[in-house]
């Protein structure tokens, strides 16, 4: 072995990447050179996947029926109505939708306050559940996690959803 040859650390076994999911934990596989001055950190791999969905499930037909009966539906253009009909009654492969709504009529309450209230009530719990499942599937303890990244386009919290989830998971304070 030359002094610059690389070897894989026994603590971080190489695992193949898997398809993306709602929440995954990545572990960096470290390669250490014989020379202390030379270090290489290989790409990250997803080692655990966890998902979570809101508890209320509605069929496509329920969604369509509720939409058509709503006052909001009358505001749409004929083209928009046709698109919605195709999405909710067509052969899209989607049978049900899990939504963070106690009833489908809440979907039409689109005020910023209502949207924020739903997000703060549901997003931290869903993110935490998905993270706990990812930890379990990777046989990883929450104290081993060095960073947490969450991406969402649904809502906004301050501090961010990452902070809420980190606290609920019991991650170290330096994460």
């Amino acid at each position: 072995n030359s002094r610059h040859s690389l070897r894989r650390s026994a603590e971080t076994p190489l695992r193949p990447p898997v398809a993306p999911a709602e929440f995954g934990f990545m572990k960096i596989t470290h390669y250490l050179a014989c020379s202390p001055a030379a270090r290489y950190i290989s790409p990250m791999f997803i080692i655990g996947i966890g998902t979570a969905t809101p508890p209320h499930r509605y069929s496509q037909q329920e969604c369509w029926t509720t939409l058509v009966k709503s006052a909001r539906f009358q505001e749409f253009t004929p083209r928009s109505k046709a698109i919605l009909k195709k999405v909710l009654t067509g052969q899209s492969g989607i049978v049900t939708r899990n939504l963070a709504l106690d009833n489908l009529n809440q979907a039409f309450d689109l005020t910023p306050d209502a949207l924020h209230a739903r997000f703060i009530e549901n997003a931290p719990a869903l993110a935490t559940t998905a993270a706990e499942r990812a930890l379990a599937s990777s046989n990883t303890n929450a104290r081993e996690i060095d960073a947490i990244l969450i991406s969402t386009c649904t809502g906004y919290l301050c501090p961010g959803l990452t902070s809420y989830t980190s606290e609920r998971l019991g991650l170290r304070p330096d994460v």
Side-chain angles (χ1 to χ4, degrees):
N1 287 345
S2 76
R3 68 183 189 108
H4 295 291
S5 66
L6 299 177
R7 61 188 152 117
R8 186 168 51 88
S9 168
E11 306 170 354
T12 52
L14 184 63
R15 295 195 175 133
V18 296
E22 292 177 11
F23 204 102
F25 280 104
M26 295 184 230
K27 187 178 278 188
I28 298 173
T29 56
H30 296 274
Y31 289 84
L32 304 175
C34 294
S35 167
R39 289 193 177 162
Y40 170 73
I41 299 177
S42 72
M44 292 184 259
F45 296 95
I46 296 172
I47 62 166
I49 296 174
T51 62
T53 56
H56 304 288
R57 183 181 304 177
Y58 302 97
S59 72
Q60 290 283 81
Q61 188 59 50
E62 286 175 291
C63 293
W64 173 248
T65 301
T66 302
L67 176 61
V68 170
K69 290 178 181 177
S70 73
R72 180 84 184 208
F73 188 71
Q74 302 313 314
E75 298 171 16
F76 296 131
T77 65
R79 183 173 187 269
S80 293
K81 290 177 182 179
I83 290 170
L84 285 166
K85 183 176 183 178
K86 184 174 183 176
V87 167
L88 293 173
T89 64
Q91 299 299 319
S92 66
I94 298 171
V95 178
T96 59
R97 295 176 182 269
N98 288 70
L99 303 171
L101 304 170
D102 293 326
N103 71 67
L104 282 173
N105 289 310
Q106 288 178 316
F108 307 109
D109 187 357
L110 301 175
T111 65
D113 288 343
L115 295 172
H116 181 72
R118 279 199 299 265
F119 188 76
I120 199 165
E121 177 185 343
N122 295 285
L126 288 168
T128 301
T129 298
E132 289 169 341
R133 291 174 180 166
L135 286 168
S137 79
S138 67
N139 294 317
T140 302
N141 184 297
R143 304 295 288 174
E144 295 176 64
I145 299 302
D146 295 320
I148 184 171
L149 304 170
I150 297 176
S151 175
T152 181
C153 64
T154 308
Y156 173 78
L157 295 175
C158 188
L161 183 54
T162 303
S163 297
Y164 284 85
T165 306
S166 296
E167 184 177 291
R168 288 177 176 214
L169 289 172
L171 300 184
R172 296 185 324 269
D174 65 329
V175 172

